[in-house]
Coordinates of all heavy atoms in Angstrom, one line a residue:
M1 N -2.0 -17.4 -24.3 CA -2.8 -17.7 -23.3 C -2.9 -19.2 -23.2 O -3.3 -19.8 -24.2 CB -4.2 -17.0 -23.5 CG -5.0 -16.7 -22.2 SD -4.3 -15.5 -21.1 CE -5.7 -14.9 -20.3
S2 N -2.7 -19.7 -22.1 CA -2.9 -21.2 -22.0 C -4.3 -21.5 -21.8 O -5.2 -20.7 -21.6 CB -2.1 -21.8 -20.8 OG -2.6 -21.2 -19.6
G3 N -4.7 -22.8 -22.1 CA -6.1 -23.1 -21.9 C -6.5 -23.2 -20.5 O -6.7 -24.3 -19.9
Q4 N -6.7 -22.1 -19.9 CA -7.2 -22.0 -18.6 C -8.6 -22.5 -18.2 O -9.5 -22.0 -19.0 CB -6.9 -20.6 -18.0 CG -5.6 -20.1 -18.1 CD -5.5 -18.6 -17.8 OE1 -6.5 -17.9 -17.7 NE2 -4.3 -18.1 -17.7
S5 N -8.8 -23.2 -17.3 CA -10.1 -23.5 -16.8 C -10.5 -23.0 -15.4 O -11.3 -23.5 -14.8 CB -10.4 -25.0 -16.9 OG -9.5 -25.7 -16.0
A6 N -9.6 -22.1 -15.1 CA -9.8 -21.5 -13.7 C -11.1 -20.8 -13.6 O -11.5 -20.1 -14.5 CB -8.6 -20.5 -13.4
V7 N -11.7 -20.9 -12.5 CA -12.9 -20.2 -12.2 C -12.5 -19.0 -11.4 O -12.0 -19.0 -10.3 CB -14.0 -21.1 -11.4 CG1 -15.2 -20.3 -11.0 CG2 -14.3 -22.2 -12.2
F8 N -12.9 -17.8 -11.8 CA -12.6 -16.5 -11.2 C -13.9 -16.2 -10.4 O -15.0 -16.4 -10.7 CB -12.3 -15.4 -12.2 CG -11.0 -15.7 -12.9 CD1 -11.0 -16.2 -14.2 CD2 -9.7 -15.4 -12.3 CE1 -9.8 -16.4 -14.9 CE2 -8.6 -15.7 -13.0 CZ -8.6 -16.3 -14.3
G9 N -13.6 -15.5 -9.2 CA -14.6 -15.0 -8.4 C -14.1 -14.4 -7.2 O -12.9 -14.4 -7.0
V10 N -14.8 -13.7 -6.4 CA -14.5 -13.0 -5.2 C -13.7 -14.0 -4.3 O -14.1 -15.1 -4.1 CB -15.7 -12.4 -4.5 CG1 -15.2 -11.8 -3.2 CG2 -16.3 -11.4 -5.4
G11 N -12.5 -13.5 -3.8 CA -11.7 -14.3 -3.0 C -10.6 -15.2 -3.6 O -9.7 -15.7 -3.0
V12 N -10.6 -15.2 -5.0 CA -9.6 -15.9 -5.7 C -8.3 -15.1 -5.9 O -8.4 -13.9 -6.2 CB -10.1 -16.2 -7.1 CG1 -9.0 -16.9 -8.0 CG2 -11.3 -17.2 -7.1
Q13 N -7.2 -15.7 -5.5 CA -5.9 -15.0 -5.6 C -5.5 -15.1 -7.1 O -5.5 -16.2 -7.7 CB -4.9 -15.6 -4.7 CG -3.5 -14.8 -4.7 CD -2.5 -15.3 -3.7 OE1 -2.4 -16.5 -3.5 NE2 -1.8 -14.3 -3.2
V14 N -5.1 -14.0 -7.7 CA -4.7 -13.9 -9.1 C -3.4 -13.2 -9.3 O -2.9 -12.3 -8.5 CB -5.8 -13.2 -9.9 CG1 -7.1 -14.0 -9.8 CG2 -6.0 -11.7 -9.4
I15 N -2.8 -13.5 -10.4 CA -1.6 -12.7 -11.0 C -2.2 -11.8 -12.2 O -2.9 -12.4 -13.0 CB -0.5 -13.7 -11.5 CG1 -0.1 -14.6 -10.3 CG2 0.6 -12.9 -12.1 CD1 0.8 -15.7 -10.8
V16 N -1.9 -10.6 -12.1 CA -2.4 -9.7 -13.2 C -1.2 -9.7 -14.2 O -0.2 -9.2 -13.9 CB -2.6 -8.3 -12.7 CG1 -3.0 -7.4 -13.8 CG2 -3.8 -8.3 -11.6
R17 N -1.5 -10.2 -15.4 CA -0.4 -10.2 -16.5 C -0.5 -8.9 -17.2 O -1.4 -8.5 -17.8 CB -0.9 -11.3 -17.4 CG -0.6 -12.7 -16.9 CD 0.8 -12.9 -16.4 NE 0.9 -14.3 -15.8 CZ 1.9 -14.6 -15.0 NH1 2.9 -13.7 -14.8 NH2 2.0 -15.7 -14.5
L18 N 0.6 -8.1 -17.0 CA 0.7 -6.7 -17.5 C 0.8 -6.7 -19.0 O 1.5 -7.6 -19.6 CB 1.8 -6.0 -16.9 CG 1.7 -5.9 -15.3 CD1 3.1 -5.2 -14.8 CD2 0.6 -5.1 -14.9
D19 N 0.2 -5.8 -19.7 CA 0.3 -5.6 -21.1 C 1.5 -4.8 -21.3 O 1.7 -3.6 -21.1 CB -0.9 -4.9 -21.6 CG -0.8 -4.6 -23.2 OD1 0.3 -5.0 -23.8 OD2 -1.7 -4.0 -23.7
R20 N 2.6 -5.5 -21.8 CA 3.9 -4.9 -22.0 C 4.2 -4.4 -23.3 O 5.4 -4.1 -23.7 CB 5.0 -5.9 -21.4 CG 4.9 -6.2 -20.0 CD 5.9 -7.3 -19.6 NE 5.6 -7.7 -18.2 CZ 6.1 -7.2 -17.2 NH1 6.8 -6.1 -17.2 NH2 5.7 -7.6 -16.0
T21 N 3.2 -4.3 -24.2 CA 3.4 -3.9 -25.6 C 4.0 -2.5 -25.7 O 4.9 -2.3 -26.6 CB 2.2 -4.0 -26.5 OG1 1.1 -3.1 -25.7 CG2 1.7 -5.3 -26.6
R22 N 3.7 -1.6 -24.8 CA 4.3 -0.3 -24.8 C 5.5 -0.2 -23.9 O 6.3 0.9 -24.1 CB 3.2 0.8 -24.4 CG 2.2 1.0 -25.3 CD 1.1 2.0 -25.0 NE 1.5 3.0 -24.0 CZ 0.7 3.4 -23.0 NH1 -0.4 2.9 -22.8 NH2 1.2 4.4 -22.2
F23 N 5.8 -1.2 -23.1 CA 6.9 -1.0 -22.2 C 7.7 -2.4 -22.2 O 7.7 -3.1 -21.1 CB 6.5 -0.7 -20.8 CG 5.7 0.5 -20.6 CD1 4.3 0.4 -20.8 CD2 6.3 1.8 -20.5 CE1 3.5 1.7 -20.6 CE2 5.5 3.0 -20.5 CZ 4.1 2.9 -20.5
P24 N 8.1 -2.9 -23.3 CA 8.7 -4.2 -23.4 C 9.9 -4.5 -22.6 O 10.3 -5.6 -22.3 CB 9.0 -4.4 -25.0 CG 9.2 -3.0 -25.5 CD 8.2 -2.1 -24.7
E25 N 10.7 -3.4 -22.2 CA 11.9 -3.5 -21.5 C 11.7 -3.5 -20.0 O 12.6 -3.7 -19.2 CB 12.9 -2.3 -21.8 CG 12.6 -1.8 -23.2 CD 13.8 -2.4 -24.1 OE1 14.9 -2.0 -23.7 OE2 13.6 -3.1 -25.1
S26 N 10.3 -3.3 -19.5 CA 10.0 -3.1 -18.1 C 10.4 -4.5 -17.3 O 10.2 -5.4 -17.8 CB 8.6 -2.8 -17.9 OG 8.3 -2.9 -16.5
L27 N 11.0 -4.2 -16.2 CA 11.4 -5.4 -15.3 C 10.4 -5.5 -14.1 O 10.7 -6.3 -13.3 CB 12.9 -5.2 -14.8 CG 13.9 -5.1 -15.9 CD1 15.3 -4.9 -15.3 CD2 13.9 -6.5 -16.8
L28 N 9.4 -4.7 -14.2 CA 8.4 -4.9 -13.0 C 7.7 -6.3 -13.1 O 7.4 -6.9 -14.1 CB 7.3 -3.8 -13.2 CG 7.4 -2.5 -12.8 CD1 6.3 -1.6 -13.1 CD2 7.7 -2.5 -11.2
D29 N 7.6 -6.7 -11.9 CA 6.9 -8.1 -11.7 C 5.4 -7.9 -12.0 O 4.8 -6.8 -11.7 CB 7.1 -8.6 -10.4 CG 8.5 -9.2 -10.1 OD1 9.2 -9.6 -11.1 OD2 8.9 -9.2 -8.9
D30 N 4.7 -8.9 -12.5 CA 3.3 -8.9 -12.6 C 2.7 -8.9 -11.1 O 3.1 -9.7 -10.3 CB 2.7 -10.0 -13.4 CG 3.1 -10.0 -14.8 OD1 3.3 -8.9 -15.4 OD2 3.2 -11.1 -15.4
P31 N 1.8 -7.9 -10.9 CA 1.3 -7.8 -9.5 C 0.3 -9.1 -9.1 O -0.2 -9.6 -10.0 CB 0.5 -6.6 -9.5 CG 0.1 -6.3 -10.8 CD 1.3 -6.9 -11.7
I32 N 0.4 -9.3 -7.9 CA -0.5 -10.4 -7.3 C -1.6 -9.7 -6.3 O -1.3 -8.8 -5.7 CB 0.4 -11.4 -6.4 CG1 1.3 -12.1 -7.4 CG2 -0.6 -12.4 -5.8 CD1 2.2 -13.0 -6.6
G33 N -2.8 -10.2 -6.5 CA -3.8 -9.6 -5.7 C -4.9 -10.7 -5.5 O -4.9 -11.8 -5.9
V34 N -6.0 -10.1 -4.9 CA -7.2 -11.0 -4.6 C -8.4 -10.3 -5.2 O -8.6 -9.1 -5.0 CB -7.4 -11.2 -3.1 CG1 -8.7 -11.9 -2.8 CG2 -6.2 -11.9 -2.5
I35 N -9.2 -11.0 -5.8 CA -10.5 -10.3 -6.4 C -11.4 -10.1 -5.3 O -11.6 -11.0 -4.4 CB -11.2 -11.5 -7.4 CG1 -10.3 -11.7 -8.6 CG2 -12.6 -11.0 -7.8 CD1 -10.8 -12.8 -9.6
V36 N -11.8 -8.9 -5.2 CA -12.7 -8.4 -4.0 C -14.1 -8.1 -4.5 O -15.0 -8.0 -3.7 CB -12.0 -7.2 -3.3 CG1 -10.8 -7.5 -2.6 CG2 -11.9 -6.0 -4.2
A37 N -14.3 -8.0 -5.9 CA -15.7 -7.7 -6.4 C -15.7 -7.9 -7.9 O -14.7 -7.9 -8.5 CB -16.1 -6.3 -6.1
A38 N -16.9 -8.2 -8.4 CA -17.1 -8.2 -9.8 C -17.2 -7.0 -10.4 O -17.8 -6.0 -9.7 CB -18.4 -9.1 -10.0
G39 N -16.6 -6.7 -11.5 CA -16.8 -5.5 -12.3 C -17.9 -5.8 -13.3 O -18.5 -6.8 -13.4
E40 N -18.1 -4.7 -14.1 CA -19.1 -4.7 -15.1 C -18.5 -5.5 -16.3 O -17.3 -5.3 -16.6 CB -19.6 -3.3 -15.5 CG -20.2 -2.6 -14.4 CD -21.5 -3.3 -13.9 OE1 -22.3 -3.7 -14.7 OE2 -21.6 -3.3 -12.7
S41 N -19.4 -6.1 -17.1 CA -18.9 -6.7 -18.4 C -19.0 -5.5 -19.5 O -19.9 -4.7 -19.5 CB -19.8 -7.8 -18.9 OG -19.6 -8.9 -18.0
E42 N -18.0 -5.5 -20.3 CA -18.0 -4.3 -21.3 C -17.7 -4.9 -22.6 O -17.0 -5.8 -22.8 CB -17.0 -3.3 -20.9 CG -17.3 -2.5 -19.7 CD -16.3 -1.3 -19.4 OE1 -15.3 -1.3 -20.2 OE2 -16.5 -0.8 -18.4
G43 N -18.2 -4.2 -23.7 CA -17.7 -4.6 -25.0 C -16.3 -4.1 -25.3 O -15.8 -3.2 -24.5
S44 N -15.5 -4.9 -25.9 CA -14.1 -4.5 -26.1 C -13.7 -4.0 -27.5 O -12.5 -3.8 -27.8 CB -13.3 -5.8 -25.8 OG -13.6 -6.8 -26.7
G45 N -14.6 -3.6 -28.3 CA -14.3 -3.0 -29.6 C -14.2 -1.5 -29.5 O -15.1 -0.8 -29.2
L46 N -13.0 -1.0 -29.8 CA -12.7 0.5 -29.8 C -13.1 1.1 -31.1 O -13.5 2.3 -31.2 CB -11.2 0.7 -29.6 CG -10.7 0.3 -28.2 CD1 -9.2 0.6 -28.1 CD2 -11.5 0.9 -27.1
Y47 N -13.0 0.4 -32.3 CA -13.2 0.9 -33.6 C -14.4 0.5 -34.3 O -14.8 1.0 -35.3 CB -11.9 0.7 -34.5 CG -10.7 1.3 -33.7 CD1 -9.8 0.4 -33.2 CD2 -10.5 2.7 -33.7 CE1 -8.7 0.9 -32.6 CE2 -9.3 3.1 -33.0 CZ -8.4 2.3 -32.5 OH -7.3 2.8 -31.9
A48 N -14.9 -0.5 -33.8 CA -16.1 -1.2 -34.4 C -17.1 -1.7 -33.4 O -16.6 -2.1 -32.4 CB -15.7 -2.3 -35.4
P49 N -18.4 -1.7 -33.7 CA -19.3 -2.4 -32.8 C -18.9 -3.9 -32.5 O -18.4 -4.5 -33.4 CB -20.6 -2.3 -33.4 CG -20.5 -1.2 -34.4 CD -19.1 -1.2 -34.9
T50 N -19.1 -4.3 -31.3 CA -18.8 -5.7 -31.1 C -19.8 -6.3 -30.2 O -20.5 -5.6 -29.5 CB -17.4 -5.7 -30.4 OG1 -17.1 -7.1 -30.0 CG2 -17.4 -5.0 -29.0
V51 N -20.0 -7.6 -30.3 CA -20.9 -8.3 -29.4 C -20.2 -9.1 -28.4 O -20.7 -9.7 -27.4 CB -21.8 -9.3 -30.2 CG1 -22.7 -8.6 -31.2 CG2 -20.9 -10.3 -31.0
V52 N -18.8 -9.0 -28.4 CA -18.0 -9.7 -27.4 C -18.0 -8.9 -26.1 O -17.8 -7.7 -26.2 CB -16.5 -9.9 -27.8 CG1 -15.7 -10.5 -26.8 CG2 -16.5 -10.8 -29.1
R53 N -18.4 -9.5 -25.0 CA -18.3 -8.8 -23.8 C -17.3 -9.5 -22.8 O -17.4 -10.6 -22.8 CB -19.7 -8.7 -23.1 CG -20.7 -7.9 -24.0 CD -22.1 -8.0 -23.5 NE -22.2 -7.3 -22.2 CZ -22.3 -5.9 -22.1 NH1 -22.3 -5.1 -23.2 NH2 -22.5 -5.3 -21.0
E54 N -16.5 -8.6 -22.3 CA -15.5 -9.2 -21.3 C -15.8 -8.9 -19.9 O -16.3 -7.8 -19.6 CB -14.1 -8.6 -21.7 CG -13.0 -9.2 -20.8 CD -11.6 -9.0 -21.4 OE1 -11.4 -8.2 -22.4 OE2 -10.7 -9.7 -20.9
K55 N -15.6 -9.9 -19.1 CA -15.9 -9.7 -17.7 C -14.7 -9.0 -17.0 O -13.5 -9.2 -17.4 CB -16.0 -11.2 -17.1 CG -16.3 -11.2 -15.6 CD -17.8 -10.9 -15.3 CE -18.0 -11.0 -13.9 NZ -19.3 -10.6 -13.5
F56 N -15.1 -8.0 -16.2 CA -14.0 -7.3 -15.3 C -14.1 -7.7 -13.9 O -15.2 -8.1 -13.4 CB -14.3 -5.8 -15.4 CG -13.7 -5.2 -16.7 CD1 -14.3 -5.5 -17.9 CD2 -12.5 -4.5 -16.7 CE1 -13.8 -4.9 -19.1 CE2 -12.2 -3.9 -17.9 CZ -12.7 -4.1 -19.1
W57 N -13.0 -7.7 -13.2 CA -12.9 -7.9 -11.8 C -12.2 -6.8 -11.0 O -11.2 -6.3 -11.6 CB -12.2 -9.2 -11.6 CG -12.9 -10.5 -12.1 CD1 -12.6 -11.1 -13.3 CD2 -14.1 -11.2 -11.6 NE1 -13.5 -12.1 -13.5 CE2 -14.4 -12.2 -12.4 CE3 -14.8 -11.0 -10.4 CZ2 -15.4 -13.1 -12.2 CZ3 -15.8 -11.9 -10.2 CH2 -16.1 -12.9 -11.1
V58 N -12.6 -6.5 -9.9 CA -11.9 -5.6 -9.0 C -10.8 -6.4 -8.2 O -11.3 -7.3 -7.4 CB -12.8 -4.7 -8.1 CG1 -11.9 -3.8 -7.2 CG2 -13.8 -4.0 -8.9
V59 N -9.6 -6.0 -8.4 CA -8.5 -6.8 -7.7 C -7.9 -5.8 -6.7 O -7.5 -4.7 -7.1 CB -7.4 -7.3 -8.8 CG1 -6.3 -7.9 -8.1 CG2 -8.0 -8.3 -9.7
R60 N -7.7 -6.3 -5.5 CA -6.9 -5.6 -4.5 C -5.6 -6.2 -4.4 O -5.4 -7.4 -4.2 CB -7.7 -5.6 -3.0 CG -6.8 -4.8 -2.0 CD -7.6 -4.6 -0.8 NE -8.9 -3.9 -1.0 CZ -9.1 -2.6 -1.2 NH1 -8.0 -1.8 -1.3 NH2 -10.2 -2.1 -1.4
F61 N -4.5 -5.3 -4.6 CA -3.1 -5.9 -4.6 C -2.6 -6.2 -3.3 O -2.9 -5.4 -2.3 CB -2.2 -4.8 -5.4 CG -2.7 -4.6 -6.7 CD1 -3.2 -3.3 -7.1 CD2 -2.7 -5.6 -7.7 CE1 -3.7 -3.1 -8.4 CE2 -3.2 -5.4 -9.0 CZ -3.6 -4.1 -9.3
E62 N -1.7 -7.2 -3.2 CA -1.0 -7.5 -1.9 C -0.2 -6.3 -1.5 O 0.0 -6.1 -0.3 CB -0.1 -8.7 -2.1 CG -0.9 -10.0 -2.3 CD -0.1 -11.2 -2.3 OE1 1.2 -11.1 -2.6 OE2 -0.6 -12.3 -2.1
E63 N 0.5 -5.7 -2.4 CA 1.3 -4.4 -2.1 C 1.0 -3.4 -3.1 O 0.5 -3.7 -4.1 CB 2.8 -4.8 -2.4 CG 3.3 -5.9 -1.4 CD 4.8 -6.3 -1.7 OE1 5.4 -5.5 -2.6 OE2 5.3 -7.2 -1.1
P64 N 1.0 -2.1 -2.7 CA 0.6 -1.0 -3.6 C 1.5 -1.3 -4.9 O 2.7 -1.5 -4.9 CB 1.1 0.2 -2.9 CG 1.0 -0.2 -1.4 CD 1.4 -1.6 -1.4
F65 N 0.8 -1.0 -6.0 CA 1.3 -1.3 -7.4 C 1.6 -0.1 -8.1 O 0.7 0.8 -8.1 CB 0.4 -2.3 -8.1 CG 0.7 -2.4 -9.5 CD1 1.8 -3.0 -9.9 CD2 -0.1 -1.9 -10.5 CE1 2.1 -3.2 -11.3 CE2 0.1 -2.0 -11.8 CZ 1.3 -2.7 -12.2
F66 N 2.7 0.0 -8.8 CA 2.9 1.2 -9.6 C 2.9 0.6 -11.1 O 3.5 -0.4 -11.5 CB 4.4 1.7 -9.4 CG 4.5 2.5 -8.2 CD1 4.8 2.0 -7.0 CD2 4.3 3.9 -8.2 CE1 4.9 2.7 -5.9 CE2 4.4 4.6 -7.0 CZ 4.6 4.0 -5.8
G67 N 2.1 1.3 -12.0 CA 2.0 0.9 -13.3 C 3.2 1.0 -14.2 O 4.1 1.6 -13.8
L68 N 3.1 0.3 -15.3 CA 4.4 0.4 -16.2 C 4.6 1.8 -16.6 O 5.7 2.2 -17.0 CB 4.1 -0.5 -17.4 CG 4.0 -2.0 -17.1 CD1 3.7 -2.8 -18.3 CD2 5.3 -2.5 -16.4
D69 N 3.5 2.6 -16.7 CA 3.7 4.1 -17.1 C 4.0 5.0 -15.9 O 4.1 6.1 -16.1 CB 2.3 4.5 -17.7 CG 1.2 4.4 -16.7 OD1 1.3 4.0 -15.6 OD2 0.1 4.9 -17.1
G70 N 4.3 4.4 -14.8 CA 4.8 5.2 -13.7 C 3.7 5.7 -12.8 O 3.8 6.3 -11.8
S71 N 2.4 5.3 -13.1 CA 1.2 5.7 -12.4 C 1.2 5.0 -11.0 O 1.7 3.8 -10.9 CB -0.1 5.6 -13.1 OG -0.3 4.1 -13.4
G72 N 0.5 5.5 -10.1 CA 0.4 4.8 -8.8 C 0.9 5.5 -7.7 O 1.2 6.7 -7.8
P73 N 0.9 4.9 -6.5 CA 0.6 3.6 -6.3 C -0.9 3.3 -6.2 O -1.7 4.1 -5.9 CB 1.2 3.3 -4.9 CG 1.1 4.6 -4.2 CD 1.3 5.7 -5.3
H74 N -1.2 2.1 -6.7 CA -2.6 1.7 -6.8 C -2.8 0.5 -5.7 O -2.0 -0.4 -5.7 CB -3.0 1.0 -8.2 CG -2.6 2.0 -9.2 ND1 -3.4 3.0 -9.6 CD2 -1.7 2.0 -10.1 CE1 -2.9 3.7 -10.6 NE2 -1.9 3.1 -11.1
D75 N -3.8 0.7 -4.9 CA -4.2 -0.5 -4.0 C -5.1 -1.5 -4.6 O -5.1 -2.7 -4.2 CB -5.0 0.1 -2.8 CG -4.1 1.1 -1.9 OD1 -2.9 0.8 -1.7 OD2 -4.6 2.0 -1.4
S76 N -5.9 -1.0 -5.6 CA -6.8 -1.9 -6.4 C -7.0 -1.4 -7.7 O -6.7 -0.3 -8.0 CB -8.1 -2.1 -5.6 OG -8.8 -0.8 -5.5
A77 N -7.6 -2.2 -8.6 CA -7.8 -1.8 -10.0 C -8.9 -2.7 -10.5 O -9.2 -3.8 -10.1 CB -6.6 -1.9 -10.8
R78 N -9.6 -2.2 -11.6 CA -10.6 -2.9 -12.3 C -9.9 -3.6 -13.5 O -9.4 -2.9 -14.3 CB -11.7 -2.0 -12.8 CG -13.0 -2.6 -12.9 CD -14.0 -1.4 -13.1 NE -14.9 -1.8 -14.2 CZ -14.8 -1.5 -15.4 NH1 -13.9 -0.7 -15.8 NH2 -15.7 -1.9 -16.3
I79 N -9.8 -4.8 -13.6 CA -9.0 -5.6 -14.6 C -9.8 -6.5 -15.4 O -10.7 -7.3 -14.9 CB -8.0 -6.6 -13.8 CG1 -7.2 -5.7 -12.7 CG2 -7.0 -7.2 -14.8 CD1 -6.1 -4.8 -13.2
P80 N -9.6 -6.5 -16.8 CA -10.4 -7.4 -17.6 C -9.9 -8.9 -17.3 O -8.6 -9.1 -17.0 CB -9.9 -7.0 -19.0 CG -9.0 -5.9 -19.0 CD -8.7 -5.6 -17.4
Q81 N -10.8 -9.8 -17.4 CA -10.5 -11.2 -17.0 C -9.4 -11.8 -17.9 O -8.7 -12.6 -17.4 CB -11.8 -12.0 -17.1 CG -11.6 -13.6 -16.6 CD -12.8 -14.2 -16.5 OE1 -13.7 -13.8 -15.7 NE2 -13.0 -15.3 -17.3
S82 N -9.3 -11.3 -19.1 CA -8.2 -11.9 -20.0 C -6.8 -11.6 -19.5 O -5.8 -12.2 -19.9 CB -8.4 -11.4 -21.4 OG -8.3 -9.9 -21.5
F83 N -6.7 -10.5 -18.6 CA -5.4 -10.3 -18.0 C -5.1 -11.0 -16.7 O -4.0 -10.8 -16.0 CB -5.3 -8.7 -17.8 CG -5.0 -7.9 -19.0 CD1 -6.1 -7.8 -19.9 CD2 -3.8 -7.5 -19.4 CE1 -5.9 -6.9 -21.0 CE2 -3.6 -6.8 -20.5 CZ -4.6 -6.6 -21.4
L84 N -6.0 -11.8 -16.2 CA -5.9 -12.5 -14.9 C -5.5 -13.9 -15.2 O -5.9 -14.5 -16.1 CB -7.2 -12.5 -14.2 CG -7.7 -11.0 -13.9 CD1 -9.0 -11.2 -13.1 CD2 -6.6 -10.3 -13.0
E85 N -4.7 -14.4 -14.3 CA -4.3 -15.8 -14.2 C -4.4 -16.3 -12.7 O -4.0 -15.5 -11.8 CB -2.9 -16.0 -14.6 CG -2.4 -17.5 -14.6 CD -0.9 -17.4 -15.1 OE1 -0.6 -16.8 -16.2 OE2 -0.1 -18.1 -14.5
A86 N -5.1 -17.4 -12.5 CA -5.1 -17.9 -11.1 C -3.8 -18.0 -10.5 O -3.0 -18.7 -11.2 CB -6.0 -19.1 -11.0
A87 N -3.5 -17.6 -9.3 CA -2.2 -17.7 -8.7 C -2.0 -19.2 -8.4 O -3.0 -19.8 -7.9 CB -2.0 -16.8 -7.5
P88 N -0.8 -19.7 -8.5 CA -0.5 -21.1 -8.0 C -0.8 -21.3 -6.5 O -0.6 -20.3 -5.8 CB 0.9 -21.3 -8.4 CG 1.5 -20.1 -8.8 CD 0.4 -19.1 -9.0
E89 N -1.1 -22.5 -6.1 CA -1.4 -22.7 -4.6 C -0.1 -22.6 -4.0 O 0.9 -23.1 -4.4 CB -2.1 -24.0 -4.5 CG -3.4 -24.3 -5.1 CD -4.4 -23.5 -4.3 OE1 -4.4 -23.4 -3.2 OE2 -5.4 -23.1 -5.0
A90 N -0.1 -22.0 -2.8 CA 1.1 -21.8 -2.0 C 1.4 -23.1 -1.3 O 0.7 -23.8 -0.9 CB 0.9 -20.6 -1.1

């Protein structure tokens, strides 16, 4: 992750960086969308208690998106902020 200082919020266009650990050969492009709402912050520890809370955002995709696992099409999704990158200015 680069040292991003991007401010996320409703109306910001973002690129969703897909987690390709289970699908390293996938040629799907990372989807682009716009943040339409704030999601809830959640703890991110699956196996141990954690005090780290990650911000989530609801992203509406420019085009219906199919997940790496074949799920979809998705019009929107709740995405952890760590998977978001501000889209470059057009």
Side-chain angles (χ1 to χ4, degrees):
M1 208 59 161
S2 62
Q4 300 170 350
S5 60
V7 176
F8 294 102
V10 173
V12 174
Q13 187 173 35
V14 293
I15 300 169
V16 178
R17 295 297 178 197
L18 301 174
D19 179 358
R20 298 176 190 273
T21 52
R22 290 180 23 225
F23 305 95
E25 327 256 299
S26 174
L27 299 176
L28 275 177
D29 288 334
D30 291 332
I32 296 173
V34 173
I35 295 174
V36 294
E40 300 297 316
S41 295
E42 292 186 358
S44 57
L46 297 176
Y47 304 106
T50 180
V51 295
V52 175
R53 295 178 68 77
E54 182 160 13
K55 182 78 174 169
F56 280 72
W57 297 97
V58 178
V59 175
R60 180 165 306 281
F61 300 114
E62 288 183 341
E63 298 177 5
F65 167 70
F66 287 88
L68 296 176
D69 61 358
S71 65
H74 305 285
D75 292 324
S76 63
R78 212 168 135 266
I79 311 286
Q81 185 168 302
S82 61
F83 283 80
L84 299 179
E85 179 180 315
E89 297 290 325

